[in-house]
Tab-separated table of all heavy atoms in Angstrom:
chain	number	residue	atom	x	y	z
O	94	HIS	N	0.846	-1.190	0.000
O	94	HIS	CA	0.000	0.000	0.000
O	94	HIS	C	0.886	1.247	0.000
O	94	HIS	O	1.708	1.437	0.903
O	94	HIS	CB	-0.903	0.026	1.234
O	94	HIS	CG	-1.844	-1.121	1.315
O	94	HIS	ND1	-2.935	-1.268	0.476
O	94	HIS	CD2	-1.862	-2.203	2.145
O	94	HIS	CE1	-3.586	-2.382	0.777
O	94	HIS	NE2	-2.952	-2.969	1.785
O	95	ASP	N	0.740	2.090	-0.988
O	95	ASP	CA	1.488	3.336	-1.066
O	95	ASP	C	0.730	4.388	-0.260
O	95	ASP	O	-0.306	4.904	-0.711
O	95	ASP	CB	1.636	3.779	-2.521
O	95	ASP	CG	2.547	4.988	-2.679
O	95	ASP	OD1	2.886	5.622	-1.660
O	95	ASP	OD2	2.917	5.305	-3.821
O	96	THR	N	1.222	4.688	0.934
O	96	THR	CA	0.499	5.624	1.799
O	96	THR	C	0.408	7.022	1.194
O	96	THR	O	-0.437	7.820	1.593
O	96	THR	CB	1.163	5.712	3.184
O	96	THR	OG1	2.527	6.132	3.040
O	96	THR	CG2	1.122	4.369	3.898
O	97	ARG	N	1.256	7.317	0.224
O	97	ARG	CA	1.221	8.639	-0.408
O	97	ARG	C	-0.024	8.831	-1.270
O	97	ARG	O	-0.389	9.965	-1.598
O	97	ARG	CB	2.486	8.852	-1.250
O	97	ARG	CG	3.769	8.899	-0.428
O	97	ARG	CD	5.002	8.825	-1.294
O	97	ARG	NE	5.094	7.543	-2.005
O	97	ARG	CZ	6.134	7.163	-2.733
O	97	ARG	NH1	7.183	7.960	-2.859
O	97	ARG	NH2	6.137	5.984	-3.346
O	98	THR	N	-0.678	7.729	-1.627
O	98	THR	CA	-1.841	7.816	-2.514
O	98	THR	C	-3.146	7.397	-1.830
O	98	THR	O	-4.168	7.233	-2.508
O	98	THR	CB	-1.631	6.947	-3.769
O	98	THR	OG1	-1.480	5.577	-3.381
O	98	THR	CG2	-0.390	7.395	-4.529
O	99	LEU	N	-3.116	7.218	-0.527
O	99	LEU	CA	-4.331	6.848	0.197
O	99	LEU	C	-5.193	8.097	0.379
O	99	LEU	O	-4.856	8.997	1.155
O	99	LEU	CB	-3.988	6.225	1.551
O	99	LEU	CG	-3.308	4.855	1.521
O	99	LEU	CD1	-2.913	4.419	2.921
O	99	LEU	CD2	-4.211	3.806	0.871
O	100	ASP	N	-6.297	8.164	-0.320
O	100	ASP	CA	-7.103	9.383	-0.343
O	100	ASP	C	-7.644	9.774	1.025
O	100	ASP	O	-7.819	10.950	1.314
O	100	ASP	CB	-8.276	9.218	-1.325
O	100	ASP	CG	-7.813	9.152	-2.774
O	100	ASP	OD1	-6.705	9.637	-3.055
O	100	ASP	OD2	-8.571	8.610	-3.604
O	101	GLY	N	-7.945	8.791	1.838
O	101	GLY	CA	-8.558	9.104	3.124
O	101	GLY	C	-7.567	9.447	4.223
O	101	GLY	O	-7.985	9.755	5.348
O	102	ALA	N	-6.282	9.380	3.937
O	102	ALA	CA	-5.278	9.589	4.982
O	102	ALA	C	-5.253	11.035	5.457
O	102	ALA	O	-5.247	11.963	4.640
O	102	ALA	CB	-3.901	9.189	4.457
O	103	LEU	N	-5.235	11.219	6.769
O	103	LEU	CA	-5.025	12.544	7.347
O	103	LEU	C	-3.531	12.844	7.308
O	103	LEU	O	-2.702	11.952	7.480
O	103	LEU	CB	-5.556	12.589	8.773
O	103	LEU	CG	-7.066	12.359	8.921
O	103	LEU	CD1	-7.454	12.332	10.393
O	103	LEU	CD2	-7.863	13.421	8.177
O	104	ARG	N	-3.194	14.110	7.138
O	104	ARG	CA	-1.797	14.466	6.920
O	104	ARG	C	-1.288	15.466	7.959
O	104	ARG	O	-2.059	16.247	8.516
O	104	ARG	CB	-1.629	15.080	5.519
O	104	ARG	CG	-2.000	14.159	4.371
O	104	ARG	CD	-1.098	12.930	4.319
O	104	ARG	NE	-1.386	12.095	3.140
O	104	ARG	CZ	-0.791	10.944	2.905
O	104	ARG	NH1	0.116	10.464	3.746
O	104	ARG	NH2	-1.090	10.250	1.828
O	105	GLY	N	0.020	15.420	8.162
O	105	GLY	CA	0.683	16.376	9.041
O	105	GLY	C	2.111	16.608	8.586
O	105	GLY	O	2.665	15.859	7.771
O	106	TRP	N	2.732	17.635	9.148
O	106	TRP	CA	4.060	18.057	8.727
O	106	TRP	C	5.097	16.955	8.880
O	106	TRP	O	5.991	16.775	8.058
O	106	TRP	CB	4.457	19.295	9.550
O	106	TRP	CG	5.770	19.912	9.185
O	106	TRP	CD1	6.294	20.084	7.933
O	106	TRP	CD2	6.729	20.460	10.090
O	106	TRP	NE1	7.511	20.726	8.003
O	106	TRP	CE2	7.810	20.968	9.316
O	106	TRP	CE3	6.781	20.594	11.481
O	106	TRP	CZ2	8.922	21.574	9.894
O	106	TRP	CZ3	7.877	21.213	12.045
O	106	TRP	CH2	8.937	21.692	11.268
O	107	TRP	N	4.992	16.176	9.948
O	107	TRP	CA	6.036	15.185	10.237
O	107	TRP	C	5.975	13.965	9.316
O	107	TRP	O	6.863	13.137	9.325
O	107	TRP	CB	5.972	14.748	11.702
O	107	TRP	CG	7.332	14.630	12.320
O	107	TRP	CD1	7.963	13.477	12.707
O	107	TRP	CD2	8.238	15.691	12.619
O	107	TRP	NE1	9.200	13.758	13.229
O	107	TRP	CE2	9.408	15.121	13.194
O	107	TRP	CE3	8.192	17.078	12.466
O	107	TRP	CZ2	10.500	15.868	13.609
O	107	TRP	CZ3	9.273	17.829	12.889
O	107	TRP	CH2	10.407	17.225	13.444
O	108	GLY	N	4.946	13.888	8.502
O	108	GLY	CA	4.882	12.805	7.524
O	108	GLY	C	5.568	13.136	6.214
O	108	GLY	O	5.564	12.320	5.294
O	109	THR	N	6.166	14.318	6.128
O	109	THR	CA	6.825	14.716	4.887
O	109	THR	C	8.262	14.221	4.830
O	109	THR	O	8.857	13.858	5.853
O	109	THR	CB	6.815	16.248	4.746
O	109	THR	OG1	7.524	16.834	5.847
O	109	THR	CG2	5.388	16.783	4.721
O	110	GLU	N	8.818	14.241	3.619
O	110	GLU	CA	10.215	13.830	3.431
O	110	GLU	C	11.142	14.731	4.244
O	110	GLU	O	11.000	15.958	4.234
O	110	GLU	CB	10.597	13.920	1.948
O	110	GLU	CG	9.956	12.863	1.073
O	110	GLU	CD	10.584	11.484	1.263
O	110	GLU	OE1	11.544	11.360	2.059
O	110	GLU	OE2	10.114	10.539	0.609
O	111	ARG	N	12.091	14.119	4.920
O	111	ARG	CA	12.989	14.898	5.755
O	111	ARG	C	13.852	15.861	4.936
O	111	ARG	O	14.175	16.960	5.394
O	111	ARG	CB	13.876	13.957	6.571
O	111	ARG	CG	13.124	13.254	7.683
O	111	ARG	CD	13.960	12.201	8.359
O	111	ARG	NE	13.237	11.585	9.471
O	111	ARG	CZ	13.641	10.489	10.099
O	111	ARG	NH1	14.753	9.867	9.706
O	111	ARG	NH2	12.947	9.997	11.105
O	112	SER	N	14.186	15.450	3.736
O	112	SER	CA	15.064	16.279	2.916
O	112	SER	C	14.415	17.595	2.506
O	112	SER	O	15.112	18.574	2.208
O	112	SER	CB	15.489	15.506	1.654
O	112	SER	OG	14.341	15.156	0.889
O	113	SER	N	13.087	17.627	2.500
O	113	SER	CA	12.390	18.848	2.084
O	113	SER	C	11.469	19.405	3.166
O	113	SER	O	10.755	20.379	2.927
O	113	SER	CB	11.575	18.574	0.816
O	113	SER	OG	10.632	17.533	1.042
O	114	ARG	N	11.493	18.819	4.344
O	114	ARG	CA	10.540	19.183	5.392
O	114	ARG	C	10.618	20.661	5.759
O	114	ARG	O	9.594	21.331	5.977
O	114	ARG	CB	10.784	18.308	6.625
O	114	ARG	CG	9.803	18.563	7.769
O	114	ARG	CD	10.006	17.560	8.881
O	114	ARG	NE	9.698	16.198	8.424
O	114	ARG	CZ	10.068	15.097	9.077
O	114	ARG	NH1	10.788	15.189	10.188
O	114	ARG	NH2	9.743	13.909	8.617
O	115	PHE	N	11.802	21.195	5.837
O	115	PHE	CA	11.948	22.565	6.323
O	115	PHE	C	11.829	23.609	5.209
O	115	PHE	O	12.067	24.795	5.427
O	115	PHE	CB	13.260	22.710	7.094
O	115	PHE	CG	13.201	22.015	8.426
O	115	PHE	CD1	13.606	20.691	8.548
O	115	PHE	CD2	12.685	22.648	9.542
O	115	PHE	CE1	13.520	20.022	9.759
O	115	PHE	CE2	12.591	21.995	10.758
O	115	PHE	CZ	13.003	20.679	10.878
O	116	ARG	N	11.420	23.171	4.024
O	116	ARG	CA	11.083	24.133	2.974
O	116	ARG	C	9.667	24.681	3.170
O	116	ARG	O	9.275	25.656	2.521
O	116	ARG	CB	11.196	23.477	1.596
O	116	ARG	CG	12.618	23.043	1.234
O	116	ARG	CD	12.625	22.297	-0.097
O	116	ARG	NE	13.907	21.632	-0.323
O	116	ARG	CZ	14.111	20.698	-1.241
O	116	ARG	NH1	13.106	20.301	-2.026
O	116	ARG	NH2	15.299	20.131	-1.391
O	117	MET	N	8.898	24.010	4.026
O	117	MET	CA	7.554	24.457	4.374
O	117	MET	C	6.652	24.600	3.139
O	117	MET	O	5.867	25.540	3.005
O	117	MET	CB	7.593	25.796	5.119
O	117	MET	CG	8.555	25.827	6.287
O	117	MET	SD	8.031	24.692	7.608
O	117	MET	CE	9.142	25.195	8.934
O	118	ALA	N	6.769	23.672	2.199
O	118	ALA	CA	6.015	23.766	0.951
O	118	ALA	C	4.523	23.543	1.177
O	118	ALA	O	4.110	22.740	2.022
O	118	ALA	CB	6.537	22.739	-0.042
O	119	ARG	N	3.720	24.257	0.408
O	119	ARG	CA	2.268	24.076	0.494
O	119	ARG	C	1.849	22.723	-0.069
O	119	ARG	O	0.870	22.119	0.368
O	119	ARG	CB	1.562	25.206	-0.264
O	119	ARG	CG	0.041	25.105	-0.224
O	119	ARG	CD	-0.606	26.358	-0.754
O	119	ARG	NE	-0.379	27.487	0.148
O	119	ARG	CZ	-0.715	28.746	-0.131
O	119	ARG	NH1	-1.275	29.023	-1.303
O	119	ARG	NH2	-0.491	29.707	0.733
O	120	GLU	N	2.567	22.243	-1.071
O	120	GLU	CA	2.313	20.933	-1.665
O	120	GLU	C	3.531	20.053	-1.386
O	120	GLU	O	4.424	19.935	-2.214
O	120	GLU	CB	2.078	21.069	-3.175
O	120	GLU	CG	0.863	21.906	-3.541
O	120	GLU	CD	-0.432	21.301	-3.041
O	120	GLU	OE1	-0.486	20.057	-2.898
O	120	GLU	OE2	-1.384	22.053	-2.789
O	121	PRO	N	3.580	19.433	-0.220
O	121	PRO	CA	4.794	18.725	0.209
O	121	PRO	C	4.932	17.337	-0.422
O	121	PRO	O	3.985	16.799	-1.010
O	121	PRO	CB	4.591	18.596	1.714
O	121	PRO	CG	3.104	18.492	1.859
O	121	PRO	CD	2.527	19.382	0.791
O	122	GLU	N	6.121	16.799	-0.270
O	122	GLU	CA	6.373	15.407	-0.615
O	122	GLU	C	6.202	14.576	0.653
O	122	GLU	O	6.898	14.825	1.644
O	122	GLU	CB	7.802	15.226	-1.129
O	122	GLU	CG	8.168	16.038	-2.341
O	122	GLU	CD	9.659	15.896	-2.625
O	122	GLU	OE1	10.025	14.936	-3.340
O	122	GLU	OE2	10.441	16.719	-2.122
O	123	PHE	N	5.315	13.608	0.617
O	123	PHE	CA	5.119	12.760	1.791
O	123	PHE	C	6.011	11.527	1.722
O	123	PHE	O	6.346	11.044	0.631
O	123	PHE	CB	3.651	12.360	1.931
O	123	PHE	CG	2.787	13.487	2.398
O	123	PHE	CD1	2.014	14.212	1.501
O	123	PHE	CD2	2.780	13.856	3.728
O	123	PHE	CE1	1.225	15.264	1.923
O	123	PHE	CE2	2.001	14.907	4.172
O	123	PHE	CZ	1.227	15.616	3.266
O	124	ARG	N	6.388	11.036	2.875
O	124	ARG	CA	7.228	9.852	2.960
O	124	ARG	C	6.416	8.618	2.565
O	124	ARG	O	5.195	8.557	2.765
O	124	ARG	CB	7.769	9.673	4.386
O	124	ARG	CG	8.598	10.839	4.881
O	124	ARG	CD	9.063	10.629	6.297
O	124	ARG	NE	10.121	9.611	6.358
O	124	ARG	CZ	10.621	9.135	7.505
O	124	ARG	NH1	10.143	9.545	8.660
O	124	ARG	NH2	11.579	8.240	7.477
O	125	ALA	N	7.092	7.640	2.021
O	125	ALA	CA	6.444	6.367	1.687
O	125	ALA	C	6.265	5.537	2.958
O	125	ALA	O	6.927	5.761	3.974
O	125	ALA	CB	7.283	5.607	0.673
O	126	GLY	N	5.384	4.586	2.914
O	126	GLY	CA	5.214	3.648	4.022
O	126	GLY	C	4.509	4.265	5.218
O	126	GLY	O	3.945	5.360	5.158
């Protein structure tokens, strides 16, 4: 299951990729798994 594509998943800042987390992007990259 690719958690990045689960439509019902609730999201938060700490689920984003560490390499880009502190860019504070409005459309972030979420971590897999």
Side-chain angles (χ1 to χ4, degrees):
H94 298 289
D95 187 348
T96 58
R97 295 168 296 187
T98 61
L99 292 175
D100 291 338
L103 297 176
R104 299 297 185 184
W106 184 40
W107 222 249
T109 61
E110 289 286 358
R111 288 172 177 169
S112 60
S113 59
R114 182 174 296 164
F115 288 91
R116 296 175 192 165
M117 310 294 191
R119 180 169 292 173
E120 298 297 332
E122 301 173 87
F123 287 100
R124 301 178 73 187

